[in-house]
Amino acid sequence: MRLCINIDHIATLREARGGLEPDPVTAAHICELAGAEGIVCHLREDRRHINDRDLRLLRETIKTKLDLEMAATDEIVKIAIETIPELVTFVPERRQELTTEGGLDVRGHKHHLKDVVSEMHRHEIEVSMFIDPVAEQVEAAMEVGADKIEIHTGEFALARTEREQHEHLEIVRTAARQAREFGMGVNAGHGLNYLNVRLMCSVEEIEEMSIGHAVIARAMFVGLDRAVREMLALVR
Ligand code: PXP
């Protein structure tokens, strides 16, 4: 199981003062030195955290792999093609949301996504779709030509009881199996933390976890290096 760290919230903190610190590019290097196998960032339309300069520098300096989360809009697609991340993950995006809410409706946007996936493949960029663990969406991801899916684990993370948590875990497992049967890779993320990640790791079909908030929040108290190493120990 690989661990990729989402560094958006380092940039959120920087933007709170509009200055230069803390720098998400420095954070990315600390995450890599601590053992993270990839760096994830989301270039939003409103640039509320990661900005174009960050993406450029991350591309130039990351030594593991860069996973760019993005909406399938013309502006961001153009930037992705100029950047050539190892992976793009298509996510839904609404300006008012606090964080990504719900998975992408791949089924409802099949034609557009198929074109965008082809465009990414023309530039040798791997493509993942961030979707809810729902059979129709997994199928749609395969139909548009995605290489991978990232399963939205938000419902699992919000479960209030152990029983509810296990129910959501099984829903994730079923979607992960279906994706693998279709020949796609499987990532997972959203709301995963130091308490729930081990259970999610029991889904053997998942190859990679994408975790941000919990690690960056813990880094406030123990430092980023230790926060990443502790999460790695759980994931592995
Ligand atoms: N994966 C995707 C597609 C996301 O949008 C996010 C949130 O930015 C994450 C993973 C990480 O979620 P969290 O910050 O809750 O760990």
Side-chain angles (χ1 to χ4, degrees), residues 6 8 69 89 91 99-100 130 150 189-192 210-213:
N6 180 315
D8 289 348
E69 289 180 10
T89 300
V91 298
T99 178
T100 313
F130 181 59
E150 180 180 330
H190 213 283
L192 297 175
S210 171
I211 306 183
H213 189 266

Side-chain angles (χ1 to χ4, degrees), residues 212-226:
H213 189 266
V215 173
I216 304 306
R218 182 150 179 79
M220 298 280 190
F221 301 111
V222 303
L224 186 53
D225 177 82
R226 184 167 148 194

